[in-house]
Amino acid sequence: MPTATLVARDWAEIQERMLVPLYEAVYDRLEVGPGDRLLGLDCGAGLALLLAAGRGAAATGVEADPARRALARERLLEVLAAPPAAARPYDALLAFSPTPAALAAALPAVRLGGAVVLADWGPAERCTVPAVLGGGPAPKDLDALAEGAGLRPDGSGRVFCPFGYADVDSAVRGLLSTGLYSGAGTGSRGGGGAPPFGMSDPALAEKELAEALHPYERPDGAVWLPNIFRYVITRVA
């Protein structure tokens, strides 16, 4: 059974880069640059924050999982276990697929008028991964989440984020590192729901997932899974 550290490594080395188009689209929309202070909620291994720092922004992350947090700290100095009580409020909060409780805990750190970006899977018919993994959690209602948090809408968009892997083994490791399915692997942040394919045996789940991925293999052995992600930009009122 994979250890928490190995699962986190799979996320950092295989899976996290799949979301780069989403991160870059959001940063372009917000015109992130020097002088901006960003707070990333559930920042994983810190790639989104590293991209923001590359644009000149000061980036801080919040990550509850110790293994992912340790990897993020290898990239960035300021990665915390819980939202900070910042002396100077942040200009933007990046909250990809947040829970209402986590969002509420982080909002006090953002300045009045600051941007809060929510993101999650797009329409089910445009996303291959949830179907391959046995259904998975339904896309969050980002507009309802924003309304419930008292945030003011300020635009939205959709981004094509294909998940591409060199081979089936890499695809299995990357997908299970997402933590969407709590029964396979160890140490990933369970996203709720049952183990893949209704099984509690990680080895059997990995075997079934590999079989489910075969229709998406290309002649060279690579695996290609198209997906659309949706993001919503809101403001702290």
Side-chain angles (χ1 to χ4, degrees), residues 90-130:
Y90 290 88
D91 300 303
L93 171 67
L94 307 179
F96 299 116
S97 197
T99 63
L103 181 60
L107 283 179
V110 185
R111 67 172 175 82
L112 187 66
V116 177
V117 182
L118 311 176
D120 202 62
W121 298 98
E125 67 274 12
R126 302 290 302 278
C127 295
T128 307
V129 168

Side-chain angles (χ1 to χ4, degrees), residues 97-98 100 103 118-122 137-149 230 232:
S97 197
L103 181 60
L118 311 176
D120 202 62
W121 298 98
K140 286 184 170 64
D141 187 336
L142 300 178
D143 301 293
L145 181 61
E147 183 179 359
R230 180 174 184 255
V232 172

Side-chain angles (χ1 to χ4, degrees), residues 194-200:
F197 314 100
M199 296 178 296
S200 59

